[in-house]
Amino acid sequence: MNALPPIEAENPCQSCGACCGYSENWPRFTIEDDAALDAIPAALVNQRLSGMRCEANRCAALSGTIGQATACTIYALRPEVCRDCQPGDPECLMARRKFRLPPLPAAITD
């Protein structure tokens, strides 16, 4: 079995980012309170104020290259939908498939 690069072994999301580029409808606000929403920079919120602004399907808060090295520029302020997507969960695997990324190894998802 091939060893994972150190960044993927430590935090697979930082070498993936697929969930942040899956759909412009995915990073929508759901249960955030007003204070949490006010903390997100207005330039990163869509015109309907219903979720994160996306360029095509990619969240405007995502930096880097999907499948190589990524980071959320507002990680500490990210909406609940972003917090809920966990490495190896069904949503993660669906997003990874879209970008033709392999499923995460069981050691990371357990």
Side-chain angles (χ1 to χ4, degrees):
M1 183 171 165
N2 293 337
L4 294 171
I7 194 169
E8 178 128 344
E10 184 178 313
N11 182 346
C13 299
Q14 290 181 319
S15 62
C16 180
C19 61
C20 303
Y22 182 77
S23 168
E24 68 180 10
N25 296 315
W26 193 335
R28 65 179 173 259
F29 305 140
T30 54
I31 60 172
E32 292 80 11
D33 61 24
D34 289 341
L37 293 175
D38 289 343
I40 297 171
L44 297 177
V45 176
N46 69 23
Q47 290 181 336
R48 295 178 311 226
L49 306 178
S50 62
M52 298 297 292
R53 183 175 60 79
C54 292
E55 298 163 3
N57 287 325
R58 184 184 169 113
C59 178
L62 182 66
S63 68
T65 302
I66 292 174
Q68 294 180 20
T70 61
C72 176
T73 61
I74 61 160
Y75 186 79
L77 305 174
R78 71 196 187 284
E80 195 62 37
V81 68
C82 303
R83 295 171 190 274
D84 287 345
C85 188
Q86 295 294 312
D89 73 7
E91 290 78 15
C92 166
L93 297 177
M94 179 176 60
R96 287 179 68 89
R97 278 192 302 273
K98 176 183 177 182
F99 291 96
R100 294 188 171 102
L101 298 171
L104 294 174
I108 290 180
T109 61
D110 290 342

XYZ file of all heavy atoms in Angstrom:
818
model
N 0.846 -1.183 0.000
C 0.000 0.000 0.000
C 0.888 1.242 0.000
O 1.837 1.331 0.754
C -0.895 -0.028 1.236
C -1.866 1.102 1.296
S -3.004 0.782 2.662
C -3.696 2.382 2.788
N 0.562 2.211 -0.819
C 1.337 3.447 -0.881
C 1.081 4.303 0.340
O -0.051 4.416 0.798
C 0.965 4.255 -2.132
C 1.390 3.560 -3.397
O 2.301 2.738 -3.374
N 0.736 3.871 -4.488
N 2.117 4.922 0.855
C 1.962 5.826 1.987
C 1.365 7.133 1.493
O 1.621 7.567 0.378
C 3.317 6.080 2.641
N 0.554 7.742 2.331
C -0.021 9.035 1.999
C 1.021 10.120 2.176
O 1.878 10.019 3.039
C -1.196 9.350 2.933
C -2.407 8.447 2.809
C -3.370 8.749 3.945
C -3.085 8.662 1.482
N 0.938 11.177 1.367
C 1.824 12.310 1.628
C 1.540 12.837 3.028
O 0.426 12.713 3.527
C 1.418 13.332 0.563
C 0.572 12.605 -0.411
C 0.057 11.370 0.258
N 2.528 13.436 3.692
C 2.332 13.895 5.066
C 1.120 14.794 5.256
O 0.390 14.654 6.220
C 3.620 14.656 5.376
C 4.630 14.080 4.436
C 3.869 13.659 3.218
N 0.831 15.699 4.333
C -0.300 16.605 4.512
C -1.619 15.838 4.505
O -2.513 16.126 5.281
C -0.298 17.737 3.458
C -1.258 18.838 3.868
C -0.613 17.214 2.080
C -1.133 20.090 3.033
N -1.760 14.818 3.652
C -2.993 14.038 3.610
C -3.130 13.189 4.850
O -4.220 13.038 5.391
C -3.071 13.172 2.354
C -4.318 12.323 2.336
C -5.128 12.447 1.073
O -4.936 13.379 0.307
O -5.976 11.582 0.873
N -2.054 12.626 5.350
C -2.120 11.812 6.552
C -2.522 12.662 7.752
O -3.265 12.217 8.608
C -0.775 11.143 6.803
N -2.050 13.904 7.797
C -2.361 14.795 8.913
C -3.781 15.344 8.815
O -4.525 15.345 9.773
C -1.352 15.949 8.921
C -1.517 16.879 10.096
C -0.459 17.962 10.071
O 0.722 17.633 9.870
O -0.823 19.122 10.243
N -4.163 15.852 7.664
C -5.488 16.406 7.440
C -5.821 16.230 5.962
O -5.392 17.035 5.138
C -5.556 17.878 7.837
C -6.944 18.463 7.654
O -7.804 17.874 7.004
N -7.173 19.616 8.222
N -6.588 15.212 5.615
C -6.866 14.945 4.207
C -7.566 16.096 3.499
O -7.441 16.251 2.296
C -7.732 13.688 4.235
C -8.295 13.627 5.607
C -7.268 14.281 6.505
N -8.272 16.937 4.232
C -8.982 18.056 3.616
C -8.016 19.067 2.995
O -8.349 19.711 2.002
C -9.865 18.757 4.638
S -11.124 17.666 5.335
N -6.838 19.201 3.561
C -5.887 20.178 3.047
C -5.226 19.740 1.752
O -4.590 20.541 1.083
C -4.836 20.506 4.104
C -5.433 21.309 5.240
C -4.403 21.647 6.278
O -3.569 20.833 6.638
N -4.464 22.868 6.754
N -5.384 18.495 1.380
C -4.878 18.057 0.087
C -6.027 17.691 -0.850
O -5.796 17.173 -1.929
C -3.940 16.862 0.251
O -4.648 15.777 0.805
N -7.237 18.002 -0.455
C -8.409 17.631 -1.250
C -9.192 18.872 -1.657
O -9.030 19.383 -2.741
C -9.283 16.663 -0.462
S -10.762 16.138 -1.374
N -10.086 19.347 -0.799
C -10.910 20.513 -1.093
C -12.092 20.225 -2.001
O -12.803 21.138 -2.403
N -12.331 18.959 -2.335
C -13.402 18.617 -3.274
C -14.770 19.078 -2.789
O -15.582 19.544 -3.594
C -13.409 17.110 -3.544
N -15.040 18.979 -1.512
C -16.355 19.381 -1.011
C -16.597 20.873 -1.225
O -17.736 21.305 -1.370
C -16.528 19.000 0.457
S -15.349 19.765 1.577
N -15.539 21.657 -1.282
C -15.656 23.112 -1.461
C -15.779 23.497 -2.929
O -15.945 24.673 -3.254
C -14.440 23.806 -0.854
S -14.210 23.436 0.890
N -15.697 22.537 -3.813
C -15.831 22.801 -5.232
C -16.909 21.949 -5.872
O -17.019 21.878 -7.089
N -17.707 21.298 -5.049
C -18.695 20.350 -5.563
C -19.902 21.031 -6.206
O -20.333 20.665 -7.280
C -19.155 19.424 -4.432
C -20.147 18.395 -4.900
C -19.729 17.285 -5.618
C -21.501 18.548 -4.647
C -20.626 16.345 -6.071
C -22.415 17.614 -5.105
C -21.976 16.524 -5.808
O -22.872 15.591 -6.272
N -20.471 22.027 -5.524
C -21.706 22.636 -6.016
C -21.885 24.022 -5.412
O -21.638 24.221 -4.229
C -22.902 21.767 -5.627
O -24.117 22.449 -5.829
N -22.361 24.953 -6.217
C -22.620 26.289 -5.677
C -23.787 26.295 -4.700
O -23.990 27.236 -3.955
C -22.876 27.284 -6.809
C -24.145 27.058 -7.564
C -24.353 28.070 -8.665
O -23.432 28.845 -8.970
O -25.447 28.079 -9.241
N -24.567 25.220 -4.673
C -25.692 25.127 -3.746
C -25.329 24.449 -2.428
O -26.123 24.426 -1.505
C -26.850 24.365 -4.402
C -27.393 25.106 -5.580
O -27.597 26.307 -5.520
N -27.601 24.408 -6.676
N -24.135 23.865 -2.360
C -23.769 23.120 -1.163
C -23.408 24.040 0.001
O -23.907 23.838 1.116
C -22.626 22.174 -1.468
C -22.376 21.151 -0.415
C -22.686 21.216 0.912
C -21.763 19.890 -0.599
N -22.299 20.078 1.558
C -21.724 19.246 0.647
C -21.222 19.252 -1.694
C -21.169 17.989 0.825
C -20.675 18.001 -1.509
C -20.652 17.375 -0.264
N -22.591 25.039 -0.176
C -22.220 25.818 1.025
C -23.296 26.836 1.403
O -23.089 28.047 1.404
C -20.919 26.500 0.602
C -21.045 26.661 -0.877
C -21.848 25.482 -1.347
N -24.503 26.340 1.729
C -25.585 27.253 2.095
C -25.728 27.296 3.614
O -25.381 26.353 4.320
C -26.884 26.861 1.421
C -27.429 25.534 1.856
C -28.754 25.231 1.158
N -29.155 23.887 1.474
C -29.004 22.860 0.656
N -28.465 23.042 -0.524
N -29.378 21.665 1.013
N -26.246 28.393 4.066
C -26.434 28.591 5.494
C -27.691 27.858 5.945
O -28.696 27.841 5.252
C -26.538 30.077 5.814
C -25.371 30.887 5.307
C -25.560 32.130 4.745
C -24.083 30.401 5.389
C -24.491 32.883 4.281
C -23.000 31.135 4.928
C -23.216 32.380 4.372
N -27.617 27.258 7.128
C -28.759 26.497 7.626
C -29.108 26.880 9.057
O -30.131 27.490 9.293
C -28.497 24.986 7.536
O -27.264 24.695 8.199
C -28.413 24.506 6.100
N -28.234 26.572 9.999
C -28.579 26.783 11.406
C -27.703 27.827 12.090
O -27.748 27.962 13.304
C -28.526 25.454 12.183
C -27.121 24.840 12.131
C -29.547 24.472 11.628
C -26.943 23.642 13.030
N -26.934 28.579 11.301
C -26.065 29.594 11.897
C -26.916 30.700 12.524
O -27.966 31.068 11.986
C -25.150 30.211 10.828
C -24.126 29.272 10.276
C -24.665 28.320 9.223
O -25.795 28.504 8.741
O -23.946 27.380 8.883
N -26.443 31.216 13.646
C -27.141 32.365 14.224
C -26.631 33.648 13.562
O -25.674 33.630 12.791
C -26.988 32.408 15.748
C -25.550 32.532 16.217
O -24.692 33.034 15.465
O -25.291 32.147 17.371
N -27.286 34.760 13.846
C -26.929 36.031 13.206
C -25.481 36.423 13.469
O -24.804 36.940 12.577
C -27.866 37.151 13.666
C -29.263 36.997 13.084
O -29.417 36.271 12.072
O -30.203 37.598 13.638
N -24.988 36.169 14.668
C -23.600 36.534 14.993
C -22.616 35.750 14.133
O -21.631 36.310 13.639
C -23.325 36.295 16.473
N -22.875 34.461 13.930
C -21.990 33.641 13.103
C -22.017 34.113 11.649
O -20.981 34.192 10.987
C -22.390 32.170 13.187
N -23.190 34.451 11.154
C -23.312 34.927 9.779
C -22.649 36.290 9.601
O -22.003 36.546 8.591
C -24.778 34.991 9.360
C -25.484 33.642 9.259
C -26.961 33.831 8.960
C -24.832 32.747 8.228
N -22.793 37.149 10.584
C -22.178 38.480 10.515
C -20.655 38.396 10.522
O -19.986 39.296 10.016
C -22.653 39.361 11.671
C -24.108 39.786 11.523
O -24.651 39.677 10.397
O -24.700 40.219 12.526
N -20.098 37.329 11.068
C -18.634 37.178 11.137
C -18.029 36.791 9.791
O -16.844 37.023 9.550
C -18.272 36.133 12.193
N -18.846 36.234 8.904
C -18.345 35.848 7.575
C -18.220 37.116 6.733
O -19.177 37.885 6.630
C -19.300 34.835 6.897
C -19.369 33.545 7.724
C -18.854 34.539 5.470
C -20.429 32.567 7.266
N -17.063 37.359 6.134
C -16.897 38.564 5.313
C -17.979 38.667 4.232
O -18.251 37.692 3.522
C -15.511 38.394 4.689
C -14.785 37.488 5.647
C -15.833 36.554 6.178
N -18.597 39.818 4.121
C -19.700 40.032 3.178
C -19.309 39.685 1.743
O -20.137 39.200 0.975
C -20.187 41.476 3.264
N -18.060 39.896 1.374
C -17.606 39.593 0.015
C -17.662 38.099 -0.293
O -17.614 37.713 -1.457
C -16.189 40.114 -0.186
N -17.773 37.264 0.734
C -17.810 35.820 0.539
C -19.226 35.246 0.624
O -19.407 34.038 0.517
C -16.906 35.125 1.566
C -15.427 35.457 1.459
C -14.649 34.776 2.575
C -14.870 35.064 0.097
N -20.222 36.106 0.801
C -21.615 35.668 0.929
C -22.324 35.924 -0.402
O -22.123 36.968 -1.027
C -22.312 36.430 2.076
C -23.783 36.051 2.160
C -21.615 36.136 3.401
N -23.167 34.979 -0.814
C -23.856 35.135 -2.099
C -24.887 36.266 -2.046
O -25.228 36.767 -0.969
C -24.456 33.811 -2.587
C -25.618 33.315 -1.756
O -26.303 34.046 -1.055
N -25.871 32.013 -1.840
N -25.395 36.655 -3.211
C -26.321 37.786 -3.307
C -27.632 37.540 -2.588
O -28.256 38.489 -2.097
C -26.596 38.124 -4.774
C -25.418 38.729 -5.477
C -25.742 39.079 -6.925
O -26.642 38.504 -7.534
N -25.000 40.027 -7.460
N -28.057 36.286 -2.497
C -29.310 35.964 -1.800
C -29.125 35.918 -0.287
O -30.095 35.708 0.439
C -29.844 34.623 -2.290
C -30.245 34.635 -3.755
C -30.717 33.255 -4.151
N -29.722 32.277 -3.703
C -29.248 31.290 -4.424
N -29.687 31.093 -5.628
N -28.337 30.468 -3.952
N -27.878 36.020 0.174
C -27.539 35.911 1.596
C -27.892 34.541 2.157
O -28.141 34.391 3.352
C -28.207 37.016 2.418
C -27.949 38.450 1.957
C -28.713 39.432 2.840
C -26.466 38.765 1.960
N -27.908 33.538 1.280
C -28.308 32.194 1.699
C -27.144 31.224 1.838
O -27.321 30.097 2.284
C -29.303 31.620 0.688
O -28.691 31.511 -0.590
N -25.954 31.662 1.452
C -24.807 30.770 1.527
C -23.547 31.472 1.057
O -23.534 32.680 0.804
N -22.517 30.685 0.914
C -21.237 31.225 0.481
C -21.294 31.561 -1.011
O -21.951 30.880 -1.779
C -20.125 30.208 0.735
C -19.942 29.849 2.202
S -19.442 31.245 3.225
C -17.783 31.541 2.601
N -20.596 32.609 -1.402
C -20.476 32.975 -2.813
C -19.586 31.940 -3.484
O -18.580 31.501 -2.921
C -19.872 34.368 -2.956
C -19.779 34.839 -4.406
C -19.294 36.273 -4.505
N -17.983 36.497 -3.923
C -16.827 36.201 -4.498
N -16.812 35.657 -5.695
N -15.690 36.450 -3.894
N -19.981 31.540 -4.663
C -19.201 30.568 -5.422
C -18.866 31.134 -6.786
O -19.619 31.932 -7.339
C -19.981 29.265 -5.593
S -20.203 28.363 -4.056
N -17.745 30.740 -7.301
C -17.343 31.021 -8.662
C -17.426 29.700 -9.383
O -16.636 28.801 -9.092
C -15.946 31.627 -8.674
C -15.910 32.960 -7.929
C -14.515 33.411 -7.552
O -13.524 32.743 -7.906
O -14.428 34.445 -6.864
N -18.411 29.579 -10.273
C -18.823 28.304 -10.836
C -19.311 27.471 -9.645
O -20.200 27.912 -8.937
C -17.708 27.638 -11.617
N -18.731 26.343 -9.371
C -19.145 25.540 -8.216
C -18.206 25.684 -7.034
O -18.440 25.101 -5.984
C -19.221 24.064 -8.616
C -20.405 23.782 -9.494
O -21.459 24.381 -9.330
N -20.251 22.889 -10.437
N -17.173 26.455 -7.175
C -16.122 26.550 -6.164
C -16.414 27.666 -5.157
O -16.648 28.816 -5.531
C -14.796 26.812 -6.867
C -13.616 26.835 -5.951
C -12.370 27.210 -6.751
N -11.267 27.483 -5.883
C -10.183 26.746 -5.799
N -10.050 25.687 -6.569
N -9.216 27.051 -4.978
N -16.367 27.336 -3.882
C -16.565 28.325 -2.822
C -15.479 29.394 -2.913
O -14.294 29.087 -3.078
C -16.514 27.636 -1.461
S -16.692 28.786 -0.078
N -15.885 30.647 -2.784
C -14.945 31.768 -2.882
C -13.943 31.784 -1.730
O -12.901 32.436 -1.837
C -15.711 33.080 -2.928
N -14.219 31.066 -0.650
C -13.297 31.029 0.485
C -12.205 29.973 0.328
O -11.275 29.928 1.130
C -14.056 30.778 1.788
N -12.288 29.145 -0.701
C -11.299 28.093 -0.904
C -10.082 28.642 -1.636
O -10.203 29.289 -2.666
C -11.902 26.947 -1.728
C -10.983 25.754 -1.975
C -10.654 25.033 -0.676
C -11.610 24.805 -2.982
N -8.919 28.384 -1.090
C -7.684 28.730 -1.790
C -6.958 27.442 -2.151
O -7.171 26.403 -1.525
C -6.787 29.622 -0.925
O -6.301 28.901 0.184
N -6.131 27.508 -3.178
C -5.342 26.353 -3.582
C -5.955 25.594 -4.732
O -6.905 26.041 -5.372
N -5.401 24.421 -4.981
C -5.791 23.574 -6.102
C -6.448 22.311 -5.569
O -5.822 21.563 -4.795
C -4.556 23.207 -6.949
O -3.945 24.422 -7.390
C -4.941 22.356 -8.154
N -7.693 22.083 -5.979
C -8.425 20.899 -5.533
C -7.652 19.648 -5.934
O -7.171 19.524 -7.046
C -9.848 20.889 -6.122
C -10.653 22.034 -5.501
C -10.534 19.534 -5.893
C -12.026 22.228 -6.083
N -7.526 18.749 -4.973
C -6.821 17.492 -5.196
C -5.333 17.572 -4.956
O -4.642 16.567 -5.024
N -4.826 18.765 -4.671
C -3.391 18.919 -4.428
C -3.110 19.552 -3.074
O -2.538 18.922 -2.208
C -2.759 19.742 -5.549
C -2.798 19.037 -6.878
C -2.171 19.871 -7.973
O -1.400 20.787 -7.719
N -2.502 19.554 -9.201
N -3.478 20.806 -2.920
C -3.267 21.512 -1.653
C -4.294 22.628 -1.569
O -4.368 23.475 -2.455
C -1.857 22.088 -1.572
N -5.123 22.598 -0.533
C -6.178 23.589 -0.375
C -6.258 24.058 1.068
O -5.736 23.417 1.978
C -7.557 23.023 -0.775
O -7.863 21.918 0.075
C -7.601 22.582 -2.220
N -6.959 25.165 1.242
C -7.226 25.689 2.580
C -8.461 26.570 2.508
O -8.736 27.196 1.479
C -6.042 26.491 3.096
N -9.181 26.631 3.582
C -10.323 27.534 3.713
C -9.794 28.836 4.308
O -9.189 28.830 5.373
C -11.376 26.931 4.626
S -12.773 28.051 4.909
N -10.059 29.938 3.617
C -9.546 31.226 4.088
C -10.316 31.754 5.288
O -9.869 32.701 5.927
C -9.553 32.272 2.957
O -10.905 32.468 2.512
C -8.665 31.823 1.802
N -11.458 31.137 5.604
C -12.231 31.539 6.783
C -12.530 30.321 7.656
O -13.597 30.210 8.250
C -13.533 32.271 6.397
C -14.440 31.362 5.550
C -13.252 33.587 5.700
C -15.894 31.812 5.531
N -11.589 29.421 7.756
C -11.798 28.135 8.427
C -12.485 28.279 9.794
O -13.463 27.587 10.070
C -10.464 27.405 8.578
C -10.615 26.010 9.119
C -11.010 24.968 8.282
C -10.370 25.732 10.454
C -11.168 23.682 8.776
C -10.521 24.451 10.947
C -10.921 23.427 10.114
O -11.087 22.158 10.602
N -12.034 29.179 10.624
C -12.621 29.333 11.961
C -14.046 29.888 11.906
O -14.824 29.694 12.846
C -11.753 30.242 12.822
N -14.407 30.529 10.805
C -15.731 31.145 10.662
C -16.649 30.359 9.727
O -17.791 30.765 9.505
C -15.585 32.567 10.100
C -14.670 33.515 10.850
C -14.529 34.816 10.076
C -15.186 33.757 12.252
N -16.182 29.256 9.168
C -16.927 28.531 8.144
C -18.315 28.124 8.640
O -18.526 27.880 9.821
C -16.145 27.324 7.654
C -16.030 26.183 8.659
C -14.928 25.225 8.248
N -14.892 24.047 9.073
C -14.405 24.005 10.321
N -13.926 25.091 10.890
N -14.412 22.856 10.999
N -19.295 28.070 7.703
C -20.660 27.708 8.083
C -20.780 26.265 8.562
O -19.892 25.437 8.334
C -21.455 27.907 6.799
C -20.547 28.442 5.784
C -19.158 28.408 6.311
N -21.900 25.976 9.168
C -22.150 24.650 9.733
C -22.077 23.550 8.679
O -21.550 22.471 8.943
C -23.514 24.624 10.422
C -23.713 23.440 11.319
C -22.731 23.389 12.487
O -22.389 24.438 13.048
O -22.308 22.262 12.835
N -22.578 23.799 7.473
C -22.537 22.775 6.425
C -21.093 22.355 6.147
O -20.815 21.187 5.887
C -23.257 23.238 5.136
C -22.520 24.377 4.456
C -23.459 22.079 4.182
N -20.177 23.284 6.256
C -18.757 22.973 6.041
C -18.189 22.178 7.209
O -17.350 21.303 7.024
C -17.962 24.263 5.853
S -18.571 25.284 4.497
N -18.639 22.484 8.393
C -18.179 21.763 9.587
C -18.707 20.329 9.605
O -18.061 19.428 10.112
C -18.619 22.490 10.848
C -17.977 23.843 11.004
C -18.613 24.629 12.167
N -18.168 25.992 12.153
C -17.046 26.434 12.719
N -16.269 25.591 13.368
N -16.715 27.705 12.646
N -19.904 20.148 9.045
C -20.538 18.834 9.072
C -19.906 17.837 8.111
O -19.959 16.637 8.350
C -22.028 18.951 8.766
C -22.809 19.558 9.916
O -22.273 19.627 11.049
O -23.961 19.975 9.687
N -19.352 18.303 7.016
C -18.724 17.395 6.048
C -17.399 16.916 6.641
O -16.516 17.714 6.943
C -18.487 18.109 4.720
S -17.926 16.998 3.407
N -17.296 15.625 6.854
C -16.123 15.043 7.508
C -15.362 14.139 6.533
O -15.966 13.517 5.653
C -16.553 14.226 8.727
C -17.181 15.061 9.816
C -16.192 16.029 10.435
O -15.087 15.648 10.787
N -16.574 17.287 10.533
N -14.053 14.042 6.698
C -13.274 13.176 5.815
C -13.830 11.753 5.788
O -14.029 11.135 6.836
C -11.868 13.193 6.434
C -11.813 14.474 7.195
C -13.216 14.699 7.711
N -14.132 11.287 4.588
C -14.599 9.917 4.408
C -16.089 9.711 4.557
O -16.579 8.607 4.314
N -16.856 10.764 4.924
C -18.300 10.565 5.041
C -18.917 10.530 3.639
O -18.234 10.777 2.639
C -18.946 11.589 5.974
C -19.062 13.000 5.401
O -18.771 13.221 4.212
O -19.460 13.892 6.175
N -20.198 10.169 3.520
C -20.799 10.034 2.184
C -20.678 11.295 1.316
O -20.434 11.193 0.113
C -22.261 9.693 2.479
C -22.210 8.995 3.806
C -21.125 9.717 4.579
N -20.831 12.471 1.912
C -20.716 13.705 1.142
C -19.285 13.911 0.652
O -19.054 14.333 -0.481
C -21.173 14.907 1.971
C -22.666 14.943 2.240
C -23.112 14.000 3.345
O -22.251 13.494 4.126
O -24.322 13.741 3.427
N -18.324 13.623 1.507
C -16.912 13.713 1.132
C -16.618 12.785 -0.036
O -16.011 13.193 -1.037
C -16.037 13.362 2.337
S -14.297 13.029 1.947
N -17.049 11.547 0.063
C -16.768 10.570 -0.987
C -17.438 10.957 -2.300
O -16.857 10.792 -3.377
C -17.200 9.178 -0.534
C -16.443 8.638 0.689
C -16.999 7.290 1.095
C -14.954 8.577 0.439
N -18.659 11.516 -2.223
C -19.359 11.965 -3.419
C -18.573 13.100 -4.097
O -18.388 13.097 -5.321
C -20.761 12.448 -3.031
C -21.581 12.969 -4.177
S -23.280 13.421 -3.680
C -22.977 14.684 -2.450
N -18.105 14.053 -3.303
C -17.336 15.173 -3.852
C -16.013 14.690 -4.441
O -15.605 15.130 -5.517
C -17.098 16.226 -2.768
N -15.350 13.773 -3.754
C -14.080 13.248 -4.260
C -14.278 12.528 -5.604
O -13.456 12.643 -6.501
C -13.419 12.326 -3.234
C -12.843 13.103 -2.046
C -12.214 12.179 -1.013
N -11.012 11.537 -1.501
C -9.781 12.042 -1.395
N -9.598 13.222 -0.831
N -8.735 11.382 -1.855
N -15.389 11.800 -5.743
C -15.670 11.120 -7.010
C -15.802 12.132 -8.154
O -15.332 11.889 -9.258
C -16.938 10.271 -6.910
C -16.719 8.919 -6.285
C -17.920 7.998 -6.459
N -19.153 8.539 -5.902
C -19.549 8.389 -4.634
N -18.813 7.724 -3.779
N -20.684 8.904 -4.230
N -16.452 13.272 -7.886
C -16.627 14.285 -8.932
C -15.277 14.713 -9.507
O -15.154 14.976 -10.700
C -17.365 15.500 -8.384
C -17.480 16.618 -9.403
C -18.136 17.850 -8.833
C -18.148 18.955 -9.885
N -18.730 20.168 -9.387
N -14.278 14.803 -8.651
C -12.946 15.243 -9.079
C -12.018 14.067 -9.377
O -10.817 14.239 -9.525
C -12.338 16.169 -8.017
C -13.058 17.489 -7.954
C -14.062 17.700 -7.028
C -12.749 18.501 -8.850
C -14.745 18.908 -6.979
C -13.422 19.706 -8.816
C -14.421 19.909 -7.876
N -12.593 12.871 -9.437
C -11.846 11.641 -9.735
C -10.702 11.411 -8.746
O -9.621 10.960 -9.119
C -11.354 11.648 -11.171
C -12.476 11.602 -12.172
C -11.969 11.420 -13.583
N -13.078 11.175 -14.485
C -13.598 12.094 -15.292
N -13.107 13.312 -15.301
N -14.588 11.795 -16.086
N -10.981 11.742 -7.487
C -10.013 11.485 -6.422
C -10.364 10.147 -5.787
O -11.542 9.806 -5.651
C -10.057 12.597 -5.372
C -9.692 13.990 -5.879
C -9.981 15.034 -4.810
C -8.240 14.043 -6.304
N -9.377 9.381 -5.375
C -9.674 8.074 -4.766
C -10.341 8.239 -3.413
O -10.182 9.272 -2.747
C -8.284 7.443 -4.616
C -7.353 8.596 -4.521
C -7.944 9.675 -5.393
N -11.099 7.237 -2.984
C -11.669 7.287 -1.629
C -10.547 7.359 -0.602
O -9.413 6.932 -0.870
C -12.430 5.974 -1.494
C -12.458 5.360 -2.846
C -11.417 6.019 -3.680
N -10.858 7.909 0.541
C -9.858 7.976 1.603
C -9.626 6.596 2.184
O -10.554 5.801 2.294
C -10.315 8.923 2.713
C -10.421 10.396 2.298
C -11.014 11.208 3.438
C -9.077 10.946 1.896
N -8.394 6.289 2.581
C -8.108 4.999 3.207
C -8.879 4.836 4.517
O -9.170 5.825 5.199
C -6.606 5.035 3.476
C -6.084 6.163 2.652
C -7.216 7.116 2.442
N -9.194 3.612 4.866
C -9.953 3.332 6.085
C -9.263 3.904 7.326
O -9.939 4.316 8.262
C -10.161 1.834 6.243
N -7.954 3.945 7.356
C -7.226 4.450 8.534
C -7.586 5.901 8.828
O -7.579 6.324 9.971
C -5.722 4.321 8.322
N -7.913 6.685 7.812
C -8.254 8.090 8.020
C -9.709 8.230 8.402
O -10.090 9.083 9.183
C -7.942 8.921 6.753
C -6.448 8.999 6.605
C -8.544 10.309 6.822
C -5.963 9.777 5.418
N -10.581 7.401 7.836
C -12.012 7.559 8.052
C -12.503 6.872 9.311
O -13.637 7.078 9.718
C -12.798 7.039 6.829
O -12.514 5.651 6.647
C -12.461 7.827 5.590
N -11.709 6.041 9.942
C -12.151 5.330 11.164
C -12.006 6.196 12.388
O -11.220 7.039 12.515
C -11.372 4.044 11.352
C -11.755 3.010 10.313
O -12.819 3.137 9.691
O -10.981 2.058 10.151
